[in-house]
Amino acid sequence: MESKFSKVKVNNEIELCRVSDMKVKTMVERALLEARISYFIKWEKPGLFSSSKKQSCIFQVNEWQSELAAQAIANLGDEAESKIKYIMKKTDTLF
């Protein structure tokens, strides 16, 4: 027996920002947790011909919490924000 929700696809996540500095990643995680914002981290590996060998990650949040998440990150200060690239676009992934 299937429920009426078994065929529903949910895609309400947005890619909030990209972070390459692991210290800043930890700061963003703590800020989101303190603000009680649920998030997902998608890891990006550098490409084969990439000049940078650093790994970066993308923070994904629910679109209804995006403004609150951006405010929590903005409260980290200018030094941390200079190492964060905001994306603010819907994800391509369907769950």
Side-chain angles (χ1 to χ4, degrees), residues 19-63:
V19 179
S20 296
D21 186 324
M22 293 303 110
K23 182 179 174 186
V24 174
K25 175 199 155 285
T26 303
M27 292 170 65
V28 170
E29 282 185 291
R30 286 186 181 147
L32 294 176
L33 288 172
E34 286 176 7
R36 301 184 56 85
I37 298 171
S38 176
Y39 64 91
F40 172 76
I41 298 176
K42 181 170 79 173
W43 288 95
E44 294 185 317
K45 293 183 180 178
L48 184 61
F49 298 108
S50 174
S51 61
S52 174
K53 296 300 178 191
K54 282 185 162 182
Q55 277 194 336
S56 63
C57 62
I58 296 176
F59 281 86
Q60 297 180 353
V61 298
N62 185 296
E63 66 183 332

Side-chain angles (χ1 to χ4, degrees), residues 5-9 20-21 23 27-28 32-33 37 42 47 55 62 68 79 83 85 87 89-93:
F5 297 111
S6 62
K7 294 183 181 180
V8 175
K9 300 291 183 192
S20 296
D21 186 324
K23 182 179 174 186
M27 292 170 65
V28 170
L32 294 176
L33 288 172
I37 298 171
K42 181 170 79 173
Q55 277 194 336
N62 185 296
L68 186 59
E79 184 180 334
K83 298 178 181 178
K85 180 182 177 198
I87 302 171
K89 73 169 194 155
K90 287 206 81 57
T91 62
D92 300 330
T93 309

